[in-house]
Amino acid sequence: METGSVTTPFGRRSMTLGMLASQVMAGEIKPDQSVDKWKLFRALCEAKPLLGIGDRALAVLNALLSFYPKNELAQGNGLIVFPSNIQLSLRTHGMAEQTVRRHLAALVDAGLLLRKDSPNGKRYVRRDRAGEVDEAFGFSLAPLLARAEEIEQLAAAVMAERLHVQRLRERITLCRRDIAKLIEAAVEEDIPGDWQGLYSGFRDLIEGLPRSPTTAQLELLLDELTALRSDILNRLESRVKSTKERGNADYSERHIQNSNPESISELEPSFGTKQGAIAEPDNDRGAVTAEKGRGEAAHPFEQKEEEEEQSRRPGVRNDGGGLKSFPLGLVLQACPEILAYGPDGAIRNWRDLMAAAVIVRSMLGVSPSAYEEAANVMGPENAATVMACILERGGHINSAGGYLRGLTRRSEKGEFAIGPMLMALLRASAPAGRKVG
């Protein structure tokens, strides 16, 4: 049984005040004090960051506990275990003996074990005539029993901190989602404001976070994101209030849809009715007819319009199926690769974008019928926008034609919107940075 006397280590190992303090603490264990060794070990696993020990040291301690014959650590059961390094290596799944010795020293330095060395440094037990342990030399588990309450408190603190960090991350994720979707909604509704600037500031906040942030850094990020979300919400709520004050939702909707300064009705009069506008006489029709008269092949969209010209009347449902078009500048910012296919390597208006889309359509192997169908369902400018998006994501799409037909079918059912696709490309084109871990 344990004598409680102070012992010094064998050989070259020096005695330290920490070892002496651990032995004094072990001598103060109450006679009736006990603790479940496996419950205490689970608490140790939780508290390891505060105790300064690693996984391998815990594996060695687990092996030492397995040599203790009782489930309850108690003074009356004796607290000395004396396995050899070979036995410890086997119970740590083949850990090298040199590694076992290194982690045993780490457990002693952390104040979780005590060495009780024999005169020759070997670990063994001396029994009496009745077979009971008279004296044992090896490692004492007394510090574990003496520090059981402290270890459980440390484990509770670590778990509370982990739960706090988890909740911080959840709230940050919710804020990120809210901000991204609110900016996306503002862009889709053409609400005035520097939304691209707000989005860039939002990305700077996220990318400025280290890969393994501290709790303080997460709290600071959450405060900044919460303030940004409140700012965006205030802007949107002001817009909603101003709409209510006018008391005319229909007028508000028309105003938002027509507020695009690069409206296709101004730049492409021959395609105006594709977005639900009333067909007006224009001079481009004569130019197209004159070109056809010179024997040049008509553009498939122009031919389609000539066939349907007589069927267009005010009040007929628009061919775009209600699909909203976006500012040309936003499209080109999200899809910069299509700029190279515009006339003279530039895209200045919607006509240039649609001309570039025809070239890209042919390059990607999209059939004329698939593109024409998309233009009829979505509208020419939206079909060109989608083709620019497909070009931007060309490396991730196996069949551009099949992908376009799928989007066309979804658009017919009202299940497709261009806004999320553009916002995803804008996010992808943002500078790569570190994310929240």
Side-chain angles (χ1 to χ4, degrees), residues 108-134:
V108 172
D109 292 340
L112 300 176
L113 288 181
L114 278 177
R115 293 182 185 272
K116 186 178 180 184
D117 290 341
S118 64
N120 61 2
K122 302 295 183 180
R123 300 170 204 155
Y124 59 87
V125 61
R126 182 178 293 112
R127 301 180 184 274
D128 56 21
R129 293 185 177 182
E132 298 295 330
V133 175
D134 181 43

Side-chain angles (χ1 to χ4, degrees), residues 172-173 175-177 179 199-211 213 221-222 224-225 228 431 433-437:
I172 288 173
T173 299
C175 273
R176 290 181 61 180
R177 184 181 70 190
I179 291 170
Y199 182 77
S200 298
F202 163 60
R203 293 306 310 172
D204 290 341
L205 288 177
I206 299 302
E207 291 161 7
L209 195 69
R211 184 177 296 275
L221 176 63
L222 179 60
E224 293 174 335
L225 291 178
L228 179 59
R434 290 170 289 187
K435 315 297 180 187
V436 175

Side-chain angles (χ1 to χ4, degrees), residues 90-270:
L90 291 174
R91 294 206 184 182
T92 53
H93 307 286
M95 186 183 295
E97 291 186 36
Q98 183 178 1
T99 305
V100 169
R101 287 193 293 270
R102 185 170 68 252
H103 290 301
L104 286 171
L107 290 170
V108 172
D109 292 340
L112 300 176
L113 288 181
L114 278 177
R115 293 182 185 272
K116 186 178 180 184
D117 290 341
S118 64
N120 61 2
K122 302 295 183 180
R123 300 170 204 155
Y124 59 87
V125 61
R126 182 178 293 112
R127 301 180 184 274
D128 56 21
R129 293 185 177 182
E132 298 295 330
V133 175
D134 181 43
E135 189 171 14
F137 297 96
F139 292 100
S140 172
L141 303 176
L144 291 178
L145 182 58
R147 300 180 62 185
E149 184 176 352
E150 175 197 353
I151 291 170
E152 290 174 355
Q153 291 175 352
L154 292 175
V158 169
M159 288 188 287
E161 177 70 9
R162 184 168 61 245
L163 181 60
H164 178 56
V165 170
Q166 180 183 349
R167 289 175 176 171
L168 283 175
R169 291 182 182 277
E170 289 173 352
R171 293 174 64 188
I172 288 173
T173 299
L174 291 175
C175 273
R176 290 181 61 180
R177 184 181 70 190
D178 292 345
I179 291 170
K181 289 186 178 292
L182 288 171
I183 292 177
E184 181 180 321
V187 171
E188 286 187 2
E189 296 296 334
D190 289 341
I191 297 177
D194 184 16
W195 301 112
Q196 183 58 34
L198 285 174
Y199 182 77
S200 298
F202 163 60
R203 293 306 310 172
D204 290 341
L205 288 177
I206 299 302
E207 291 161 7
L209 195 69
R211 184 177 296 275
S212 300
T214 63
T215 303
Q217 290 171 328
L218 290 175
E219 290 173 346
L220 178 61
L221 176 63
L222 179 60
D223 290 341
E224 293 174 335
L225 291 178
T226 301
L228 179 59
R229 180 176 61 181
S230 298
D231 181 33
I232 295 172
L233 280 174
N234 289 337
R235 298 186 186 206
L236 296 182
E237 287 173 359
S238 298
R239 180 71 176 185
V240 171
K241 290 178 181 178
S242 64
T243 302
K244 288 183 178 180
E245 290 174 359
R246 286 197 298 267
N248 190 338
D250 292 337
Y251 166 76
S252 174
E253 180 65 19
R254 287 197 301 272
H255 174 72
I256 292 174
Q257 291 181 355
N258 295 332
S259 63
N260 181 3
E262 297 176 332
S263 173
I264 193 65
S265 62
E266 298 176 6
L267 299 174
E268 293 292 333
S270 62

